[in-house]
Each structure stands twice: as C-alpha cells, then as structure tokens.
Amino acid sequence: MNIALITAGGVGNRMGQDIPKQFMTIENCPVIIYTLQSFQNSPEIDAIAVICLKGWEVILQSYANQYMITKLKWIFEGGKTNQESIYNGIKGLKEVGCKDNDIILVHDGVRPLVSNKIISENIATCQKYGAAVTGLPCKEAIMELVDGKVTKIDTPREKLIRTQTPHTYPLKTLIKLHEEAIQQNITETVASCILMSTITCQDQYLVLGSEKNGLKLTNVEDIELFKALINIPEEKWIKK
C-alpha cells in the first residue's frame, strides 16, 4: 500500500492562537482537512494515518467524517517531539498489520497545498530508489548567522535544497532508522530526511516540490498567504 502519514501532533506555539494551528478553521474548513483532502483525492494513496495531538483525536475523527475523508484509517498519539511522533506513527502502522514494503509518505499536517504530482512522484521515486525527499533548489543568496552576524557560506546555492514534505520511504526503512536513532540517543531531529542522513549513508533522491507546497502554516502571515493562494483564480493565458 501507499500510506500517507500526516504529522499533526504539535501545539503550534509560534502561531500564537488559542487552538493548535492544524485545527484552526480557514475559509470554513479546518487546516488539517485541507491537507487530508490532498491525499484523499490522490488515486495512488490507499490509506491515511494521522499522528494527532493528544486530546484532539475525537475532533479529528469528527472532521474526517464531516468532510468524507474515507481513506483515514488510523489515528496515533503524538509524542513530545516531531521525531518521537513519527516513531509513534510507524510503530502504530506496523502494529495494525502494515507490511514492511508499504510506502510511507511522511507529510506535515500544516502543509496543505501538496499536489497530486508531488505525491505521485514521491511514490514513483521511492519505488525506484528506496527514498524520496521533496524540495526545491535555493534561489536566494544563502548566508549563515553566527553570533548575531551574517556570514557567507562556501556551498554554492545551486547545491542547496529547501526541503519540504513528503519524505517517502518503505515502512521497514523508517522503523530501522528510528530504532537506530534510539540506540544512538538521537532524539530531536527536525525531519525524517535529516535523520536518514545522520544515521545512514543511504542515498535520498529529490522530488521537485513547489512554492505552494513550501507554504507551511507557522505564523499569522502564512494564513494570509494561504487564503490568497486558495482564492486566486488561474490566469488562462499562462502556459504550464
């Protein structure tokens, strides 16, 4: 199976609102539902699992029922960190009978504008190479912040990638990765692709993302951008 594993276990402190950002309603729809709909509408996704903030599981299931997210099969409890939450999710998938070779697309619950193309290319790339990471080459001039001062870095920007999600691997690869992290006492990596690079020498292959998929709802400004993106009409004259 191809399974979307959605991380929605954070409290969203940087957003500064009264409820977790993944459950905020924008344009009459919860943020988490926008994300789930992207995977619900992908013909290549067989099932969805969500790693949910503790205490919000019933609300999540109610939203899924209301918006007919029929592919949502499992809800797992989030952990104290993103890494722990993902481990909870993949352990849960193994316990409910998912197979070692099932392909798992780990995706941020507050990154709602992932496209069918990105999902499809993640699956194809993982099937071919065993590991896929969504991202975009950097267009900006990149510098490093050291003790409050900006300094240059030696790596050319053409070689730098701004990673997005999904990060996509077979279930057995993710489980082995996280179990090794526990043995090495690695606990707080920010993303699966970073953990993979930290622990193994396995190659990970780029799937081109998009500026839309780059929008991760983190602060209030991101909400304004998201509203603009979902409401703006397409220009018919633009070639794609």
Side-chain angles (χ1 to χ4, degrees), residues 108-227:
D108 300 319
V110 290
R111 199 183 291 273
L113 295 177
V114 59
S115 67
N116 269 335
K117 181 180 179 182
I118 291 173
I119 293 169
S120 178
E121 290 185 357
N122 263 268
I123 293 169
T125 301
C126 185
Q127 287 173 335
K128 184 174 183 179
Y129 297 111
V133 177
T134 310
L136 283 177
C138 289
K139 298 184 292 186
E140 302 83 2
I142 304 297
M143 301 186 75
E144 183 178 7
L145 183 65
V146 180
D147 297 328
K149 300 181 285 291
V150 236
T151 63
K152 76 178 185 68
I153 59 174
D154 294 328
T155 306
R157 66 181 177 184
E158 294 80 9
K159 292 186 177 182
L160 296 173
I161 296 296
R162 296 179 288 143
T163 64
Q164 306 173 358
T165 58
H167 304 150
T168 305
Y169 314 93
L171 178 59
K172 63 182 177 183
T173 299
L174 276 171
I175 289 176
K176 182 178 180 181
L177 179 68
H178 279 263
E179 289 176 347
E180 183 64 30
I182 291 171
Q183 292 179 12
Q184 295 187 28
N185 198 31
I186 299 170
T187 58
E188 293 192 36
T189 51
V190 296
S192 297
C193 60
I194 300 297
L195 186 60
M196 178 72 76
S197 294
T198 301
I199 288 182
T200 80
C201 58
Q202 179 175 340
D203 291 330
Q204 302 181 78
Y205 288 80
L206 177 66
V207 171
L208 282 178
S210 69
E211 294 296 348
K212 286 183 177 181
N213 188 50
L215 181 62
K216 182 180 180 184
L217 301 184
T218 304
N219 52 49
V220 172
E221 183 182 43
D222 296 328
I223 296 175
E224 296 169 356
L225 291 172
F226 177 64
K227 290 176 68 175

Side-chain angles (χ1 to χ4, degrees), residues 75-109:
I75 298 174
F76 305 116
E77 185 177 313
K80 295 178 182 178
T81 65
N82 185 61
Q83 182 179 321
E84 183 180 329
S85 290
I86 293 172
Y87 186 49
N88 288 353
I90 57 177
K91 276 195 310 180
L93 290 174
K94 185 68 175 177
E95 289 167 1
V96 297
C98 294
K99 306 301 182 186
D100 284 347
N101 290 326
D102 286 343
I103 290 178
I104 312 301
L105 297 88
V106 182
H107 188 73
D108 300 319

